[in-house]
Amino acid sequence: MIDTHCHILPGIDDGAHNDEIAVAMAQAAVAAGTERLVCTPHHFNGIYDNPSVPVRQGLSALQQRLHDAEITLPLHLGAELHLVPELPSRVLDGSALTYNDRGRAALIELPKVAIPLGTETVLEQLLRQGVTPVIAHPERNLVLARDEQRLGEWVSWGCKAQLTAQSCSGEFGERLQWLCRRWIELGWIHVIASDAHRPVGRSPDTLRAGRAAVARWRGEAAAHLLTHDNPRCLLTGDDLSALPPLANPISLPRPHSWLKLLPWRRKH
Ligand SMILES: [Fe+2]
């Protein structure tokens, strides 16, 4: 497996707090069967700026530390780029990192509860610049979860989508798992990744259970595509492949039943 979304670089965002935690995350990744890992610290999200220079330095230092600890896990440059109007220019001037620093595809993060005005303009600008936006965990955005056609439209333009492994495996609840399965059956999902922040819990080894869920739903070849072949294309700069859509994808629970999941509707 190749993990293309991981907050392993120590001390620069809400992921690994220090070197020891980063090394423990790397050990968890290797034990789970991850062969390569893209370091994707938050970029320009209002809390963490993380321009490319300190990310490069952090990656070199961690790679050396893993080498010293005899852990074989090649690390690659990347970032989780918060969607802001100036993002296309930041990608062009190199301050915002793309996957493996190739300038071909970039991991894009939306806010959890909204889609900002101008989102489509930014996505179109990136596509015009030859940079493929990969939408990070769309299942965790409340607007896309209720209005999935918007995601389908972005994918039809050439955007790609990456699910969080724990959403697929059901660790974030049944509703998100259904959504993941439906979108994978619709052929809208190109990659799954751990989005790990810790050595346990939100850990790199969650990718294994996420992969197993995809294999149950669509078979082993599909799981390989989403956890290995397409992630490898993100590293090499090649085009990603889409899963063929199923004729009858699973349907979601009715919206009124989803309301029961909201905290103010719970009886206890
Ligand atoms: Fe993330």
Side-chain angles (χ1 to χ4, degrees), residues 82-83 108-120 135-138 140-147 150 154:
H82 198 73
L83 191 137
I108 308 295
E109 179 188 40
L110 295 165
K112 285 192 174 62
V113 295
I115 295 177
L117 277 175
T119 290
E120 274 83 359
I135 311 297
H137 39 65
R140 303 185 71 186
N141 176 279
L142 288 180
V143 178
L144 292 177
R146 297 299 295 267
D147 180 13
R150 203 151 172 196
W154 296 352

Side-chain angles (χ1 to χ4, degrees), residues 5-7 40 42 80 107 109 136-137 195 197 202:
H5 185 162
C6 187
H7 299 263
T40 54
H42 291 289
E80 184 171 15
L107 181 63
E109 179 188 40
H137 39 65
D195 193 8
H197 286 65
R202 291 189 74 188

Side-chain angles (χ1 to χ4, degrees), residues 19-242:
D19 285 2
E20 287 69 31
I21 292 174
V23 170
M25 288 175 71
Q27 286 170 325
V30 171
T34 295
E35 304 146 28
R36 294 178 177 276
L37 189 145
V38 186
C39 306
T40 54
H42 291 289
H43 173 88
F44 223 57
N45 71 348
I47 304 172
Y48 307 106
D49 281 354
N50 285 327
S52 60
V53 172
V55 176
R56 291 175 197 277
Q57 292 167 344
L59 185 144
S60 296
L62 180 59
Q63 190 75 81
Q64 182 61 48
R65 185 156 180 128
L66 296 185
H67 180 263
D68 295 345
E70 298 183 348
I71 298 169
T72 305
L73 182 67
L75 303 176
H76 297 267
L77 280 170
E80 184 171 15
L81 306 174
H82 198 73
L83 191 137
V84 289
E86 55 270 51
L87 185 56
S89 61
R90 293 180 71 85
V91 169
L92 274 182
D93 70 21
S95 56
L97 282 163
T98 53
Y99 286 103
N100 209 16
D101 202 21
R102 287 198 175 266
R104 295 282 289 128
L107 181 63
I108 308 295
E109 179 188 40
L110 295 165
K112 285 192 174 62
V113 295
I115 295 177
L117 277 175
T119 290
E120 274 83 359
T121 304
V122 172
L123 296 177
E124 285 170 335
Q125 279 180 318
L126 288 168
L127 285 163
R128 270 202 303 274
Q129 287 174 204
V131 178
T132 301
V134 178
I135 311 297
H137 39 65
E139 80 281 10
R140 303 185 71 186
N141 176 279
L142 288 180
V143 178
L144 292 177
R146 297 299 295 267
D147 180 13
E148 64 175 15
Q149 283 308 321
R150 203 151 172 196
L151 177 65
E153 190 178 10
W154 296 352
V155 170
S156 75
W157 296 347
C159 295
K160 310 299 177 189
Q162 172 250 300
L163 298 175
T164 296
Q166 285 175 288
S167 303
C168 297
S169 61
E171 288 179 70
F172 291 161
E174 191 181 38
R175 170 178 159 272
L176 282 193
Q177 192 181 28
W178 274 67
L179 206 52
C180 291
R181 180 171 177 180
R182 174 173 168 80
W183 290 352
I184 287 173
E185 292 187 353
L186 283 164
W188 292 353
I189 303 302
H190 305 80
V191 177
I192 67 168
S194 74
D195 193 8
H197 286 65
R198 302 280 176 269
V200 292
R202 291 189 74 188
S203 157
D205 67 11
T206 57
L207 187 51
R208 188 165 49 181
R211 185 191 190 284
V214 177
R216 279 198 309 277
W217 298 332
R218 298 224 49 183
E220 187 60 30
H224 193 70
L225 180 71
L226 268 51
T227 57
H228 185 273
D229 289 353
N230 275 342
R232 188 178 56 193
C233 289
L234 291 175
L235 297 182
T236 58
D238 291 316
D239 292 339
L240 277 63
S241 302

